[in-house]
Amino acid sequence: CYLRPLAFLGHGPLGVYAKGVPTEVIVAAYPWGAYLGEGSLEKGIRTTISSWVRLHHASFPTTAKGSGQYLNSTLAVREAREKGFEEAILLDRNGNVAEGSGENLFLVKRGRLVTPGIDSSILPGITRDSVITLAKELGIDVSVRNVTRGELYAADELFFTGTAAEVTPIREVDGYVVGAGTRGPVTERLQAAFFRAVRGEDPSKAHWLAAV
């Protein structure tokens, strides 16, 4: 299943100041399959660069997972789906790669792993952090830096990470086939390590888990 906790301002006076309004919390549980479609974890997905730009960290704290910022994601993913793609990739206002509509993005080139940093207005996700840790343990070099749009087209492998997306390969960007057009070997290694961890099969990652 997928668990979604949500803290929000409850009933009180209308207005954006909202001082003194009580904070309410809910936790929703959903039956859950592969977020980006059946077979996406094995075959990968088709993506497009969105015309919508990722909201900038000067506008609000993009490192916080706030509900309002998902309007940006909704617009991007609707545009992508209407064009026949499974998911969107958003650029930041400087034209560098930010993230997907609800996922962080990783690039593999010559066996090295690259991912955008918080200066690209990303949400630094828990799954992203987990994959970086796993990569280092597997001896894979990891670099956090600005990523250009052109690097996506020339990548050996691309994949998304996220609570819902887990580790999902990207096989195409705007009609450009990524690598061999299938899940790449580095992605597969990280995916396998991630699923061992979250399924409780890796004793060294027991502290990552909480029984529900």
Side-chain angles (χ1 to χ4, degrees):
C1 72
Y2 179 86
L3 298 177
R4 167 56 65 89
L6 180 65
F8 59 97
L9 296 176
H11 184 265
L14 291 176
V16 295
Y17 180 51
K19 187 72 173 180
V21 175
T23 299
E24 309 285 355
V25 178
I26 63 167
V27 180
Y30 298 88
W32 205 257
Y35 174 60
L36 291 168
E38 191 68 31
S40 60
L41 296 174
E42 298 79 25
K43 298 177 182 178
I45 62 168
R46 299 175 62 247
T47 65
T48 183
I49 304 295
S50 179
S51 66
W52 295 99
V53 174
R54 168 70 171 152
L55 296 173
H56 193 258
H57 54 73
S59 301
F60 64 91
T62 54
T63 54
K65 198 166 189 175
S67 296
Q69 68 199 59
Y70 277 92
L71 175 58
N72 188 215
S73 298
T74 298
L75 292 168
V77 77
R78 285 190 176 183
E79 176 187 51
R81 296 284 178 87
E82 288 166 7
K83 290 181 177 179
F85 298 93
E86 283 88 23
E87 184 55 292
I89 295 173
L90 291 94
L91 307 180
D92 66 19
R93 71 177 185 182
N94 296 316
N96 293 314
V97 175
E99 57 186 13
S101 71
E103 313 89 2
N104 293 123
L105 185 143
F106 285 84
L107 174 154
V108 179
K109 188 68 175 180
R110 299 186 182 92
R112 296 180 176 180
L113 200 60
V114 180
T115 190
I118 59 173
D119 55 338
S120 290
S121 298
I122 70 163
L123 174 73
I126 294 171
T127 308
R128 173 183 179 272
D129 184 64
S130 301
V131 166
I132 290 173
T133 298
L134 292 168
K136 291 177 178 178
E137 291 177 353
L138 291 170
I140 300 170
D141 181 70
V142 182
S143 177
V144 178
R145 61 168 176 79
N146 289 337
V147 175
T148 67
R149 178 175 182 166
E151 287 183 275
L152 299 184
Y153 303 140
D156 297 328
E157 303 175 40
L158 294 173
F159 62 88
F160 281 134
T161 64
T163 304
E166 299 171 307
V167 180
T168 300
I170 298 170
R171 71 173 190 269
E172 182 184 312
V173 181
D174 286 332
Y176 292 92
V177 175
V178 178
T182 60
R183 177 177 56 187
V186 175
T187 303
E188 189 169 5
R189 285 181 68 198
L190 290 169
Q191 194 182 64
F194 174 77
F195 283 121
R196 283 197 303 272
V198 299
R199 291 170 180 164
E201 298 167 1
D202 181 352
S204 72
K205 299 297 178 294
H207 62 287
W208 286 7
L209 308 178
V212 177

